[in-house]
Amino acid sequence: MAGSRSLSSGLSALQPEAFGADPSGERMARIRRSPHFADGVFQNPGGEARIRPSGSALDLAKAFFDKDTRPRRAPSGPVPVHATTLADLARPPATGLRLTWMGHSSVLAEIDGHRVLFDPVWGERCSPFPFAGPKRLHPAPLPLAALGPVDVVVISHDHYDHLDLPTVKALAGTDTLFAVPLGVGAHLEHWGVSADRLRELDWHEATRIGGLTLTATPARHFCGRGLRNSQHTLWASWSVAGDEHRIFHSGDTGYFDGFKDIGAEHGPFDATMIQIGAYSDLWPKNHTGSGPLPGAWPDIHMNPSQGVQSHLDLQQGRPGGVMLPIHWGTFNLSLHPWAEPGEWTLAAADAVGQPVAVPVPGQPFEPAGNLPTRPWWRDVSRPLNREWPVPEITPEVSRDDLDLVGEG
């Protein structure tokens, strides 16, 4: 037994620091008490989510190396980036709410006098290794140190493209607080964030930070950073409510009926940040066949049509607020064309009359002001000529309703 413990300790010492740490002690005891933890793992709403590709290894290899489609999975030139300056962010938003998409799922939200930073990833690769793994397709719009003080950093889950070791270590040297799903605090403490700066929440739990109420809401995904995926850290979407405004960040998730419940309890929202990239027909399928859209789609990521539908659900079935598409454009994480999420989102949103903002990375905008709507990706992408599947208008939202929204 002593030899076994010695081997285990030796293997742990060889693990990259980016693997983080498994929950233990009182944190693990709290996880076991969670109503969403059963049979040794966190459970998804709506039943088990398949997290492995449904195609064979040969299918994946053929799709990955296909000479006709592979060039479309990357931009054809430098991705435009707004050189965000301190002046951009120093002036308070005139309307009380401003969003700055930094690329992928990283968003700075300035809401009712507070600053919230969602899923900050400033690292060069979303990987445990500095020499391998998906590399950024564009630089961060500004250095992390130039961002200025942040009241709270919100993490959706512990995958590398959402929880970034070098970024967390840099933020650990500030006095910002961290709001994270249950179990994720083990990683942050391992990397130098003190326990008193952590607000670690289960689904439906809330914390008050300054004048904001942050609520961890359900999502349909999975977790894990190391070689052994223990499913002992939770994944979440987030509702943030200030005195005047409400916003929502989806994190990573497959489509599920829970968006309607989240909208009923916490919405409607002035703006939503919705995951619309890194989907594939070869990714895990919704084995129940349920959902608002025809065909089988991923369990753990939404395509743009599902993303728009989730926004409508959050807004209680009606177009409203502003949708900011996230989780695309910065890292090549799937097999779809690089520009497809942008094109498909515009088509899906237009079909139901939903306002959508598509800023270049780093471009601040106010949801109640002039929205950035120019499809900038077309400057550096090959044309995509296809008819995009779009959400169907539900019975609660008639075409007459949409016409009235458009006239308003």
Side-chain angles (χ1 to χ4, degrees):
M1 294 295 291
S4 175
R5 286 196 299 269
S6 177
L7 177 60
S8 176
S9 299
L11 291 175
S12 296
L14 293 174
Q15 289 185 352
E17 185 183 15
F19 278 6
D22 290 333
S24 61
E26 175 52 35
R27 179 176 278 117
M28 193 64 221
R30 186 182 168 203
I31 288 170
R32 291 194 179 100
R33 294 193 298 268
S34 168
H36 311 110
F37 190 81
D39 300 324
V41 296
F42 279 110
Q43 305 291 319
N44 265 302
E48 181 182 359
R50 293 170 56 191
I51 62 175
R52 299 189 184 281
S54 57
S56 67
L58 181 59
D59 290 334
L60 286 169
K62 284 181 178 179
F64 183 79
F65 291 107
D66 183 84
K67 62 182 178 63
D68 294 324
T69 60
R70 192 173 187 183
R72 295 180 181 272
R73 296 203 298 270
S76 58
V79 175
V81 173
H82 178 85
T84 315
T85 66
L86 185 59
D88 286 327
L89 304 175
R91 294 184 300 272
T95 62
L97 176 62
R98 180 167 59 207
L99 301 179
T100 307
W101 179 51
M102 299 296 178
H104 201 57
S105 296
S106 304
V107 182
L108 174 67
E110 298 167 275
I111 172 172
D112 297 340
H114 302 275
R115 305 178 94 224
V116 182
L117 185 59
F118 292 95
D119 283 357
V121 174
W122 259 252
E124 190 65 17
R125 296 182 186 272
C126 49
S127 166
F129 308 108
F131 54 84
K135 190 175 182 180
R136 300 185 70 96
L137 298 173
H138 66 80
L142 79 169
L144 187 62
L147 196 61
V150 173
D151 295 292
V152 57
V153 173
V154 176
I155 303 296
S156 65
H157 63 297
D158 68 1
H159 286 161
Y160 290 97
D161 56 323
H162 298 260
L163 181 61
D164 180 54
L165 169 62
T167 304
V168 169
K169 282 204 155 189
L171 291 167
T174 70
D175 59 0
T176 187
L177 302 177
F178 290 79
V180 303
L182 194 55
V184 174
H187 298 310
L188 273 64
E189 284 194 61
H190 185 64
W191 297 333
V193 179
S194 59
D196 63 340
R197 290 168 56 195
L198 295 175
R199 306 294 182 267
E200 201 163 344
L201 306 182
D202 201 349
W203 290 339
H204 309 298
E205 291 182 344
T207 187
R208 187 81 174 168
I209 296 177
L212 301 178
T213 299
L214 296 90
T215 306
T217 47
R220 187 167 170 79
H221 200 56
F222 68 111
C223 65
R225 293 179 71 86
L227 298 175
R228 180 175 59 88
N229 184 2
S230 64
Q231 295 290 79
H232 286 171
T233 59
L234 188 60
W235 48 95
S237 56
W238 288 87
S239 165
V240 177
D243 292 336
E244 301 292 336
H245 296 91
R246 293 171 179 263
I247 57 177
F248 174 84
H249 189 284
S250 72
D252 276 4
T253 181
Y255 178 83
F256 70 117
D257 287 342
F259 290 115
K260 299 172 185 176
D261 297 328
I262 294 169
E265 185 170 356
H266 302 288
F269 297 98
D270 298 282
T272 68
M273 296 152 272
I274 302 289
Q275 173 265 308
I276 51 92
Y279 50 86
S280 171
D281 286 346
L282 292 174
W283 280 189
K285 302 295 195 295
N286 181 335
H287 50 81
T288 65
S290 63
L293 303 172
W297 296 105
D299 253 355
I300 55 173
H301 283 157
M302 295 188 290
N303 65 43
S305 201
Q306 291 170 312
V308 171
Q309 183 65 57
S310 71
H311 175 93
L312 296 177
D313 290 353
L314 290 162
Q315 301 298 75
Q316 302 177 37
R318 293 175 177 270
V322 172
M323 174 181 163
L324 171 63
I326 61 172
H327 201 262
W328 77 288
T330 302
F331 299 103
N332 189 349
L333 301 177
S334 188
L335 301 175
H336 58 65
W338 172 76
E340 183 177 291
E343 292 290 349
W344 192 350
T345 299
L346 288 187
D350 182 66
V352 295
Q354 171 56 49
V356 62
V358 286
V360 299
Q363 179 185 4
F365 73 94
E366 300 192 28
N370 294 324
L371 298 182
T373 58
R374 190 181 82 85
W376 52 267
W377 54 87
R378 293 177 186 171
D379 297 341
V380 289
S381 66
R382 297 164 180 81
L384 298 174
N385 299 312
R386 61 166 291 191
E387 185 174 336
W388 305 103
V390 298
E392 295 180 1
I393 299 173
T394 61
E396 291 80 13
V397 185
S398 69
R399 175 53 64 183
D400 290 341
D401 291 330
L402 291 181
D403 290 342
L404 289 173
V405 169
E407 291 171 5

